[in-house]
Amino acid sequence: MTQTLNTADAKVVAKLSTLDRFLAVWILAAMAVGLTLGRVVGGLNDALAKLEVGGISLPIALGLLLMMYPVLAKVRYDKLDAVTADRRLMILSLVINWVLGPAVMFALAWIFLADLPEYRTGLIIVGLARCIAMVIIWNDLACGDREAAAVLVALNSVFQVVAFGLLGWFYLDLLPQWLGLGDGQGLDVPVWHIALNVVVFLGIPLAGGYLTRRVGEARLGRTGYEQKFLPRIGPWALYGLLFTIVILFALQGRTITSQPLDVARIALPLLVYFAVMWFGSFAIGKAAGLAYDRTATLAFTAAGNNFELAIAVAIATFGVTSGQALSGVVGPLIEVPVLVALVYVSLALRRSFRGDRQATPTSRES
C-alpha cells in the first residue's frame, strides 16, 4: 500500500510546474533577495516606505491583491451557506482566533521577553492581529476548504474591526496590572485604520473574485470558467506571494540584518506560537470530527497573523525605529517559512483522515 501511494505521489510531483515543485525554494530565495536589496541598495527601504496611503503600503497592497485574487476567483460562492451552517467550524474558529490566540501570544511574550518590554508589546500586537490575507494561499496549497477559508477570514475581518482595540487595551494595559506585572502600555488604534486595512487586504480581492466568478460563469459556463479561465490566472497567486515577500523584507532588510541577536530573541516565542496554534487547532478540528479540508483551514486561519496590520499599528503608535515595530517585522520572517513547512506537514497528516485521498500542494483541481 505504501509503495502504491509513493508511486502516486511521484507521478503527481512529476507533473508539477517548476514553480510549484520548488515552491519552498522560491520563497526562501524571495526572502533572501528582499533582505539583500534592503541591506545593499541605499535608500530603497525609505523609498518604499514613502509609497503609502492612509498607512497602507501600496507595494505590499499590490502584491497581496495579486496573491489573493486568483484564489478568491476559484471559490464556489454558491457553497458558502454550507460553511456558515457548520456551527462547529464557526464556533471553533472564533474561540481559537479571538480567545486562545491572543492569550497564547501574551503568555509566550511574557515568558520569553519579560526583560524586553518593547519587543514583548510588539509580539502581543502580532497576536491580536488575526490573519485575513496570506492564509488564503497557505490554505489553498494545503488543499483546505476554499469556501470555508473565505468565510473564516471574512469573520476574522469583522471581529478585527470590532475587537482589536478592545483586546489591545485588555492585554497591554488591564491584564498586566491585574497580574501585578507592572504598568501597561496603551494602544490607541483608530477604528477607521483597522477598517481600511480590512477593505484593502480582504474586501477588494474578495469583491474581485466574486464578480469574476459570476461574470465568468455567465459567459463561459461553469465548466469553461474552471477549465479554461482559472488555469490562466492561477500562477499569479504565487507570483504575487513572491513579490510581496520581496517587498516586505526589502522594507526591513537593514533593520533585521543589523540586529541578529534581537531577531533571534523575538523569533523563539514566534516559533513556539506557530507550532502551538497550528498543531493545537489541527488536533481540535480532528477531534471535533471535521473533515481534513476544514481541519486544515481551521489550523491555518488560527496560526496565521495579519502582520501588515501589526506592523502598521506598531509604527503608528510607537514609531518606525521602535522595538515594537521590529517585533512586527520579524513576524513574517518566521511565519512565511514555518507555514510553508506546515503545508507539507498538513498534507502528510491527511492520510490519517478516513476517506480523504492524498494530495500534494498543487495537485488540487484548479
Side-chain angles (χ1 to χ4, degrees):
M1 180 64 177
T2 301
Q3 184 177 0
T4 302
L5 291 175
N6 290 339
T7 301
D9 282 346
K11 291 180 178 179
V12 172
V13 171
K15 295 179 180 179
L16 299 179
S17 68
T18 302
L19 179 64
D20 296 330
R21 192 180 307 174
F22 299 105
L23 176 62
V25 175
W26 305 138
I27 287 177
L28 291 175
M31 293 170 63
V33 169
L35 288 173
T36 302
L37 289 174
R39 183 72 183 182
V40 174
V41 181
L44 176 62
N45 52 351
D46 293 333
L48 291 173
K50 292 179 181 178
L51 297 174
E52 291 186 357
V53 174
I56 301 294
S57 169
L58 295 181
I60 292 177
L62 174 62
L64 289 174
L65 292 177
L66 286 174
M67 178 185 75
M68 295 177 64
Y69 165 70
V71 179
L72 291 171
K74 296 176 184 178
V75 171
R76 289 281 301 276
Y77 292 92
D78 56 330
K79 292 184 176 182
L80 296 187
D81 288 347
V83 177
T84 56
D86 190 340
R87 294 185 178 180
R88 289 177 304 173
L89 177 65
M90 302 292 284
I91 292 173
L92 285 175
S93 179
L94 285 176
V95 171
I96 291 173
N97 272 287
W98 295 101
V99 178
L100 297 183
V104 168
M105 187 67 91
F106 175 85
L108 291 174
W110 275 96
I111 290 171
F112 286 93
L113 300 172
D115 59 326
L116 297 170
E118 289 190 0
Y119 296 158
R120 184 181 66 234
T121 297
L123 273 190
I124 293 172
I125 293 173
V126 171
L128 299 179
R130 312 311 301 169
C131 196
I132 64 170
M134 200 169 283
V135 67
I136 294 288
I137 285 288
W138 311 136
N139 177 76
D140 207 54
L141 291 171
C143 300
D145 188 319
R146 288 176 184 145
E147 289 69 38
V151 169
L152 294 187
V153 295
L155 191 64
N156 274 350
S157 71
V158 173
F159 270 78
Q160 199 146 187
V161 173
V162 175
F164 186 90
L166 180 62
L167 289 175
W169 167 75
F170 178 76
Y171 281 106
L172 295 175
D173 191 8
L174 185 62
L175 188 57
Q177 294 185 47
W178 278 359
L179 298 177
L181 299 173
D183 294 333
Q185 290 183 292
L187 188 63
D188 185 14
V189 185
V191 173
W192 71 265
H193 182 77
I194 301 172
L196 179 62
N197 186 278
V198 169
V199 168
V200 172
F201 295 130
L202 177 62
I204 294 175
L206 183 61
Y210 174 77
L211 292 174
T212 300
R213 164 70 73 168
R214 291 293 300 270
V215 173
E217 287 191 359
R219 293 185 176 182
L220 302 175
R222 176 161 294 173
T223 300
Y225 176 80
E226 294 185 348
Q227 294 183 0
K228 296 179 180 179
F229 178 74
L230 289 182
R232 293 180 181 177
I233 67 171
W236 283 97
L238 296 182
Y239 299 152
L241 172 63
L242 296 177
F243 175 79
T244 303
I245 291 171
V246 170
I247 295 298
L248 273 171
F249 289 98
L251 275 167
Q252 301 295 337
R254 186 171 296 276
T255 302
I256 291 174
T257 55
S258 64
Q259 302 180 56
L261 294 180
D262 289 349
V263 169
R265 286 288 304 270
I266 298 168
L268 185 56
L270 281 170
L271 285 170
V272 176
Y273 171 82
F274 292 130
V276 168
M277 291 301 297
W278 193 91
F279 284 102
S281 301
F282 197 94
I284 290 171
K286 187 174 183 180
L290 298 179
Y292 165 78
D293 55 355
R294 292 194 176 176
T295 298
T297 299
L298 180 67
F300 281 102
T301 52
N305 291 86
N306 186 353
F307 50 80
E308 304 90 0
L309 175 61
I311 293 171
V313 168
I315 291 175
T317 306
F318 302 102
V320 69
T321 60
S322 65
Q324 292 88 343
L326 179 60
S327 291
V329 170
V330 175
L333 176 70
I334 306 303
E335 178 177 337
V336 170
V338 168
L339 291 189
V340 169
L342 288 173
V343 166
Y344 293 95
V345 173
S346 183
L347 291 167
L349 291 175
R350 187 177 187 179
R351 301 176 186 178
S352 64
F353 285 77
R354 183 177 300 175
D356 274 308
R357 61 181 177 82
Q358 262 191 306
T360 58
T362 51
S363 64
R364 181 176 175 172
E365 63 277 7
S366 62

